[in-house]
Amino acid sequence: MARDVIVVGAGPVGLMTAGELKLRGVDVVVHEALPAPTRQSRGASFTRRTAECFDQRGLLGRLGATEPADSHFGGIPIDLGMLAEDHHGHRGVSQFRTERMLEEWVGELGVPVLRGREVTGLRQTPEGVVVSFAGPGGPGEESAAYLVGCDGGRSTVRKLAGIGFPGTDGRRGFLTADVTGIDTRKRRIGENLPGGSMVMAMDLENGVTRVVVHEAGTPPPRDRGSLTFSDLADAWQRLTGESLHHGRCRWISCFTDASRAAAEYRRGRVFLAGDAAHVQPPAMAQGLSVGVQDAVNLGWKLAATVRGRAPEGLLDTYDAERRPVGEQLARNARAAIELRLTGEEMDPVREVVGELLAHKDAAEYAAGMLSNLGVRYDLAKGDHPLLGRRMPPDHTLTLPDGTRTRVAELLRTGRGLLLTTDGAAAAHTARHHTDRVDIVTTTPTDTAATTPDTVLVRPDGYVAWTAPGTTDDLDQALERWFGAARTAL
């Protein structure tokens, strides 16, 4: 019997995708080539918006203690204190820790994670996708209605689906390692050195320090398997005069400044998310974050389609909404790397960018790109500033019985949300969508001047309709995003 969805890749993006689907009753399975989770952690932080996505599903608290991450563009700091809204990300969270939390979550939901299964082929049929794999028990096949490739920058799914991956090849090489037993000065956003070199040192948990080195003129290593900790420690000592050779290396790897975005995020019944759809230097601290947001955007749409509740064209909005974000990420990464690692000839540009970022409007725009709070989708015609943006999850509401709650807590079910101070009218309009949308009446007294009387929030937390402020009627918005009204009994 065919599954509803096969997800390829058990990293944070694949696990988040699987959890979003299973939360809505979809029969989903995860195929992962690695036989066991790796302790290697390319990502060590995530953005403010990604923290909000975790919060919307009740997952943020499971990660334990984190520390706020400052913001910078190409090494030029952004003063987040001048902004009205908190744009700080979360730092010091190893990717292994995030993966472990998400795997526990999907396990609680009942998602099978099948390890040691390497995808070797796929073919699309009118009814679905057939995946060929090599597994512990030998070769096999599994069928599903849809396939989501979350299998990294060298994505097998992307290649087998024939989806292009335009962008720039890597010209610079970076060495990175997690090290214990060292006490170097922390350089959390990295330290620029003469000639275009850079070093970074950031605390992780349990006495581990994430170390990154770029030595100007060093091309990407040809053989990653031959890297040793001495390669990194030697480069660190040449650049800083400080020895790390006594440290104990937990793992070492390398990356480049390659930056790419897939030409399509969907081809037929195959979707891409995370690094399979976009790659950029990990120093941007964006890959994991944008990938998790891909998963949250796709999950509810794909689930609605599988369950026969999706309006026409809903799945197409995944590519329309998320591919521009991936393309912007690729562009930003190229700009930030050039700004940071080009030599002294770039100093005049750095001075100008620094002066611009000292102004609140410019700082807010740049911080919005880097925190992902600036994402705005074209969801409806209207002039309200919330339209197309995420509904702040920390916004506190008072219910008619006096109970106070946050928007994030109301989104835990993964359903749509209609917040209104005019309960009777909104409830009457949305009465045939209550199997997909929760209607929550709030007291008018805690509605801020910038918050409309009624807000329709999609399951991913983005505002699809407001009153006042939107041209279309509520019933039109409900049908556009949640499908035809349920037949009245």
Side-chain angles (χ1 to χ4, degrees):
M1 181 177 177
R3 301 268 188 181
D4 292 331
V5 181
I6 296 172
V7 174
V8 179
V13 178
L15 294 170
M16 192 74 191
T17 302
E20 288 286 301
L21 291 166
K22 190 65 175 181
L23 188 65
R24 299 168 176 89
V26 172
D27 179 18
V28 57
V29 65
V30 178
H31 288 207
E32 168 55 53
L34 293 175
T38 175
R39 293 192 67 88
Q40 294 189 7
S41 298
R42 289 174 68 86
S45 59
F46 48 84
T47 66
R48 182 70 179 181
R49 179 57 192 155
T50 300
E52 292 181 346
C53 289
F54 288 150
D55 191 18
Q56 289 173 180
R57 300 296 180 255
L59 301 174
L60 186 60
R62 296 186 181 207
L63 285 171
T66 64
E67 61 178 29
D70 295 326
S71 189
H72 68 93
F73 188 79
I76 300 174
I78 301 172
D79 180 7
L80 300 181
M82 73 171 79
L83 307 181
E85 193 166 25
D86 187 359
H87 284 70
H88 289 89
H90 289 243
R91 179 172 54 206
V93 188
S94 68
Q95 183 169 320
F96 171 75
R97 186 167 145 199
T98 303
E99 285 183 12
R100 183 175 56 192
M101 177 274 289
L102 289 170
E103 187 156 10
E104 289 175 355
W105 177 52
V106 301
E108 294 166 7
L109 292 172
V111 177
V113 178
L114 306 180
R115 295 191 172 274
R117 286 201 174 189
E118 182 178 0
V119 173
T120 57
L122 69 85
R123 65 181 186 275
Q124 295 200 51
T125 70
E127 294 76 29
V129 182
V130 180
V131 176
S132 303
F133 61 85
E141 287 189 342
E142 186 165 18
S143 301
Y146 296 93
L147 172 68
V148 185
C150 306
D151 51 338
R154 296 181 176 85
S155 172
T156 299
V157 171
R158 186 186 64 239
K159 294 170 185 175
L160 291 173
I163 297 174
F165 205 38
T168 59
D169 292 330
R171 297 185 295 114
R172 300 177 175 93
F174 300 75
L175 302 179
T176 183
D178 284 354
V179 187
T180 61
I182 61 174
D183 189 26
T184 185
R185 175 171 60 85
K186 299 304 177 280
R187 303 156 170 93
R188 291 183 176 86
I189 68 170
E191 179 180 339
N192 291 1
L193 300 173
S197 296
M198 185 271 290
V199 294
M200 187 188 83
M202 178 177 66
D203 287 333
L204 300 179
E205 65 269 19
N206 302 322
V208 177
T209 301
R210 167 66 50 84
V211 179
V212 179
V213 178
H214 168 67
E215 192 169 13
T218 304
R222 291 185 177 181
D223 182 10
R224 298 185 182 210
S226 66
L227 286 176
T228 67
F229 180 57
S230 292
D231 295 326
L232 183 149
D234 290 347
W236 183 278
Q237 189 162 20
R238 286 193 295 270
L239 294 173
T240 69
E242 177 186 18
S243 175
L244 302 181
H245 291 85
H246 60 284
R248 295 179 296 279
C249 179
R250 299 182 67 171
W251 68 273
I252 184 168
S253 186
C254 62
F255 58 90
T256 76
D257 59 346
S259 187
R260 298 180 179 277
E264 306 165 74
Y265 278 25
R266 176 193 183 185
R267 176 165 288 189
R269 291 175 174 266
V270 176
F271 297 83
L272 302 177
D275 286 354
H278 44 77
V279 296
Q280 61 290 314
M284 282 288 291
Q286 293 275 303
L288 182 152
S289 291
V290 174
V292 167
Q293 292 166 56
D294 292 341
V296 174
N297 185 287
L298 175 61
W300 71 275
K301 298 172 181 177
L302 188 52
T305 303
V306 166
R307 300 185 69 186
R309 296 177 172 178
E312 184 177 356
L314 182 65
L315 278 182
D316 291 331
T317 67
Y318 172 64
D319 179 274
E321 291 174 5
R322 294 306 298 172
R323 185 155 54 89
V325 175
E327 290 171 347
Q328 183 188 60
L329 174 61
R331 181 205 68 185
N332 289 352
R334 290 195 295 270
I337 287 294
E338 292 301 324
L339 186 65
R340 178 157 211 167
L341 298 181
T342 303
E344 285 76 7
E345 62 269 31
M346 186 66 77
D347 283 347
V349 178
R350 294 187 185 105
E351 291 177 9
V352 171
V353 173
E355 290 173 2
L356 289 173
L357 292 179
H359 292 273
K360 182 179 177 181
D361 287 350
E364 189 164 31
Y365 179 78
M369 287 195 304
L370 297 168
S371 67
N372 310 131
L373 298 189
V375 171
R376 186 171 194 175
Y377 302 134
D378 183 14
L379 303 188
K381 295 179 180 179
D383 57 7
H384 197 280
L386 272 178
L387 269 179
R389 297 189 181 277
R390 103 281 187 233
M391 184 70 183
D394 281 334
H395 183 64
T396 302
L397 305 166
T398 301
L399 307 181
D401 64 0
T403 303
R404 294 181 68 81
T405 187
R406 297 184 304 124
V407 170
E409 294 167 0
L410 297 174
L411 287 168
R412 298 279 161 85
T413 62
R415 290 156 52 90
L417 184 62
L418 186 67
L419 303 173
T420 180
T421 59
D422 185 9
H428 180 77
T429 302
R431 67 192 184 281
H432 297 313
H433 284 88
T434 52
D435 56 333
R436 286 153 275 177
V437 178
D438 294 327
I439 302 171
V440 178
T441 301
T442 66
T443 60
T445 54
D446 63 1
T447 302
T450 56
T451 305
D453 297 333
T454 305
V455 183
L456 179 64
V457 185
R458 303 192 317 186
D460 58 356
Y462 286 82
V463 174
W465 185 88
T466 67
T470 308
T471 302
D472 293 339
D473 293 332
L474 176 57
D475 54 357
Q476 294 174 298
L478 286 165
E479 292 207 9
R480 179 181 181 187
W481 297 109
F482 297 100
R486 184 183 54 201
T487 303
L489 297 178

mmCIF file of all heavy atoms in Angstrom, residues 8 31 117-123 130-135 139-141 156-157 160:
data_model
loop_
_atom_site.group_PDB
_atom_site.id
_atom_site.type_symbol
_atom_site.label_atom_id
_atom_site.label_comp_id
_atom_site.label_asym_id
_atom_site.label_seq_id
_atom_site.Cartn_x
_atom_site.Cartn_y
_atom_site.Cartn_z
ATOM 1 N N VAL A 8 12.777 12.412 2.065
ATOM 2 C CA VAL A 8 14.143 11.910 1.963
ATOM 3 C C VAL A 8 15.065 12.859 2.711
ATOM 4 O O VAL A 8 15.186 14.036 2.360
ATOM 5 C CB VAL A 8 14.581 11.778 0.486
ATOM 6 C CG1 VAL A 8 16.018 11.269 0.406
ATOM 7 C CG2 VAL A 8 13.647 10.842 -0.260
ATOM 8 N N HIS A 31 13.129 8.519 4.796
ATOM 9 C CA HIS A 31 14.244 7.687 4.362
ATOM 10 C C HIS A 31 15.534 8.470 4.591
ATOM 11 O O HIS A 31 15.674 9.604 4.120
ATOM 12 C CB HIS A 31 14.129 7.341 2.878
ATOM 13 C CG HIS A 31 13.044 6.368 2.558
ATOM 14 N ND1 HIS A 31 13.094 5.527 1.467
ATOM 15 C CD2 HIS A 31 11.879 6.069 3.177
ATOM 16 C CE1 HIS A 31 12.006 4.778 1.423
ATOM 17 N NE2 HIS A 31 11.242 5.099 2.457
ATOM 18 N N ARG A 117 18.827 3.821 4.314
ATOM 19 C CA ARG A 117 18.136 3.733 3.021
ATOM 20 C C ARG A 117 18.621 4.854 2.114
ATOM 21 O O ARG A 117 18.289 6.016 2.324
ATOM 22 C CB ARG A 117 16.620 3.825 3.196
ATOM 23 C CG ARG A 117 15.984 2.578 3.771
ATOM 24 C CD ARG A 117 14.507 2.536 3.458
ATOM 25 N NE ARG A 117 13.905 1.276 3.870
ATOM 26 C CZ ARG A 117 12.673 0.901 3.557
ATOM 27 N NH1 ARG A 117 11.916 1.693 2.812
ATOM 28 N NH2 ARG A 117 12.186 -0.250 3.956
ATOM 29 N N GLU A 118 19.378 4.504 1.122
ATOM 30 C CA GLU A 118 19.919 5.479 0.171
ATOM 31 C C GLU A 118 19.104 5.459 -1.113
ATOM 32 O O GLU A 118 18.981 4.419 -1.773
ATOM 33 C CB GLU A 118 21.388 5.161 -0.129
ATOM 34 C CG GLU A 118 22.039 6.153 -1.073
ATOM 35 C CD GLU A 118 23.496 5.850 -1.313
ATOM 36 O OE1 GLU A 118 24.001 4.857 -0.746
ATOM 37 O OE2 GLU A 118 24.136 6.603 -2.077
ATOM 38 N N VAL A 119 18.543 6.591 -1.468
ATOM 39 C CA VAL A 119 17.733 6.676 -2.681
ATOM 40 C C VAL A 119 18.621 6.515 -3.904
ATOM 41 O O VAL A 119 19.662 7.171 -4.038
ATOM 42 C CB VAL A 119 16.973 8.014 -2.732
ATOM 43 C CG1 VAL A 119 16.273 8.187 -4.082
ATOM 44 C CG2 VAL A 119 15.956 8.101 -1.601
ATOM 45 N N THR A 120 18.214 5.625 -4.809
ATOM 46 C CA THR A 120 18.985 5.362 -6.019
ATOM 47 C C THR A 120 18.225 5.699 -7.288
ATOM 48 O O THR A 120 18.812 5.760 -8.368
ATOM 49 C CB THR A 120 19.399 3.884 -6.070
ATOM 50 O OG1 THR A 120 18.226 3.058 -5.995
ATOM 51 C CG2 THR A 120 20.328 3.544 -4.892
ATOM 52 N N GLY A 121 16.934 5.906 -7.172
ATOM 53 C CA GLY A 121 16.152 6.235 -8.359
ATOM 54 C C GLY A 121 14.751 6.685 -7.978
ATOM 55 O O GLY A 121 14.287 6.429 -6.858
ATOM 56 N N LEU A 122 14.109 7.377 -8.895
ATOM 57 C CA LEU A 122 12.702 7.731 -8.706
ATOM 58 C C LEU A 122 12.048 7.899 -10.067
ATOM 59 O O LEU A 122 12.695 8.268 -11.045
ATOM 60 C CB LEU A 122 12.542 8.984 -7.850
ATOM 61 C CG LEU A 122 12.966 10.349 -8.395
ATOM 62 C CD1 LEU A 122 11.859 11.001 -9.241
ATOM 63 C CD2 LEU A 122 13.310 11.288 -7.252
ATOM 64 N N ARG A 123 10.800 7.605 -10.082
ATOM 65 C CA ARG A 123 10.017 7.851 -11.299
ATOM 66 C C ARG A 123 8.639 8.316 -10.896
ATOM 67 O O ARG A 123 8.075 7.851 -9.903
ATOM 68 C CB ARG A 123 9.937 6.601 -12.179
ATOM 69 C CG ARG A 123 9.193 5.431 -11.574
ATOM 70 C CD ARG A 123 9.200 4.227 -12.527
ATOM 71 N NE ARG A 123 8.376 3.131 -12.051
ATOM 72 C CZ ARG A 123 8.778 2.197 -11.194
ATOM 73 N NH1 ARG A 123 10.027 2.230 -10.724
ATOM 74 N NH2 ARG A 123 7.967 1.231 -10.819
ATOM 75 N N VAL A 130 7.478 6.649 -7.384
ATOM 76 C CA VAL A 130 8.068 5.377 -6.962
ATOM 77 C C VAL A 130 9.547 5.627 -6.689
ATOM 78 O O VAL A 130 10.281 6.115 -7.555
ATOM 79 C CB VAL A 130 7.895 4.290 -8.030
ATOM 80 C CG1 VAL A 130 8.520 2.977 -7.546
ATOM 81 C CG2 VAL A 130 6.427 4.099 -8.369
ATOM 82 N N VAL A 131 9.982 5.315 -5.478
ATOM 83 C CA VAL A 131 11.355 5.552 -5.050
ATOM 84 C C VAL A 131 12.089 4.226 -4.972
ATOM 85 O O VAL A 131 11.614 3.279 -4.319
ATOM 86 C CB VAL A 131 11.388 6.248 -3.676
ATOM 87 C CG1 VAL A 131 12.827 6.396 -3.183
ATOM 88 C CG2 VAL A 131 10.711 7.602 -3.756
ATOM 89 N N SER A 132 13.234 4.151 -5.624
ATOM 90 C CA SER A 132 14.117 2.994 -5.494
ATOM 91 C C SER A 132 15.185 3.321 -4.467
ATOM 92 O O SER A 132 15.666 4.454 -4.388
ATOM 93 C CB SER A 132 14.778 2.658 -6.835
ATOM 94 O OG SER A 132 13.812 2.424 -7.835
ATOM 95 N N PHE A 133 15.562 2.316 -3.671
ATOM 96 C CA PHE A 133 16.562 2.565 -2.637
ATOM 97 C C PHE A 133 17.416 1.323 -2.413
ATOM 98 O O PHE A 133 17.025 0.198 -2.734
ATOM 99 C CB PHE A 133 15.889 2.971 -1.325
ATOM 100 C CG PHE A 133 14.960 1.936 -0.749
ATOM 101 C CD1 PHE A 133 15.426 0.905 0.062
ATOM 102 C CD2 PHE A 133 13.599 1.979 -1.032
ATOM 103 C CE1 PHE A 133 14.576 -0.051 0.578
ATOM 104 C CE2 PHE A 133 12.732 1.024 -0.519
ATOM 105 C CZ PHE A 133 13.223 0.004 0.291
ATOM 106 N N ALA A 134 18.594 1.562 -1.857
ATOM 107 C CA ALA A 134 19.460 0.499 -1.372
ATOM 108 C C ALA A 134 19.427 0.551 0.142
ATOM 109 O O ALA A 134 19.716 1.594 0.736
ATOM 110 C CB ALA A 134 20.884 0.694 -1.883
ATOM 111 N N GLY A 135 19.033 -0.557 0.780
ATOM 112 C CA GLY A 135 18.869 -0.555 2.222
ATOM 113 C C GLY A 135 19.585 -1.713 2.876
ATOM 114 O O GLY A 135 20.219 -2.539 2.199
ATOM 115 N N PRO A 139 18.220 -3.995 -2.129
ATOM 116 C CA PRO A 139 17.472 -2.985 -2.875
ATOM 117 C C PRO A 139 15.963 -3.170 -2.709
ATOM 118 O O PRO A 139 15.475 -4.263 -2.423
ATOM 119 C CB PRO A 139 17.905 -3.218 -4.322
ATOM 120 C CG PRO A 139 18.335 -4.648 -4.366
ATOM 121 C CD PRO A 139 18.907 -4.953 -3.017
ATOM 122 N N GLY A 140 15.247 -2.062 -2.871
ATOM 123 C CA GLY A 140 13.806 -2.116 -2.765
ATOM 124 C C GLY A 140 13.154 -0.901 -3.391
ATOM 125 O O GLY A 140 13.837 -0.006 -3.907
ATOM 126 N N GLU A 141 11.830 -0.884 -3.363
ATOM 127 C CA GLU A 141 11.057 0.243 -3.875
ATOM 128 C C GLU A 141 9.940 0.571 -2.897
ATOM 129 O O GLU A 141 9.440 -0.303 -2.182
ATOM 130 C CB GLU A 141 10.442 -0.074 -5.240
ATOM 131 C CG GLU A 141 11.418 -0.097 -6.392
ATOM 132 C CD GLU A 141 10.718 -0.200 -7.745
ATOM 133 O OE1 GLU A 141 9.528 -0.584 -7.783
ATOM 134 O OE2 GLU A 141 11.370 0.111 -8.753
ATOM 135 N N THR A 156 20.304 14.022 -4.063
ATOM 136 C CA THR A 156 20.021 12.992 -5.062
ATOM 137 C C THR A 156 18.631 13.197 -5.656
ATOM 138 O O THR A 156 18.428 13.022 -6.863
ATOM 139 C CB THR A 156 20.119 11.596 -4.421
ATOM 140 O OG1 THR A 156 21.439 11.402 -3.919
ATOM 141 C CG2 THR A 156 19.784 10.507 -5.421
ATOM 142 N N VAL A 157 17.677 13.568 -4.825
ATOM 143 C CA VAL A 157 16.310 13.785 -5.304
ATOM 144 C C VAL A 157 16.285 14.889 -6.359
ATOM 145 O O VAL A 157 15.635 14.758 -7.401
ATOM 146 C CB VAL A 157 15.373 14.127 -4.125
ATOM 147 C CG1 VAL A 157 14.008 14.581 -4.637
ATOM 148 C CG2 VAL A 157 15.224 12.932 -3.205
ATOM 149 N N LEU A 160 17.827 13.510 -9.580
ATOM 150 C CA LEU A 160 16.963 12.525 -10.236
ATOM 151 C C LEU A 160 15.711 13.164 -10.822
ATOM 152 O O LEU A 160 15.176 12.701 -11.834
ATOM 153 C CB LEU A 160 16.573 11.435 -9.240
ATOM 154 C CG LEU A 160 17.692 10.498 -8.786
ATOM 155 C CD1 LEU A 160 17.193 9.585 -7.670
ATOM 156 C CD2 LEU A 160 18.216 9.665 -9.960
#
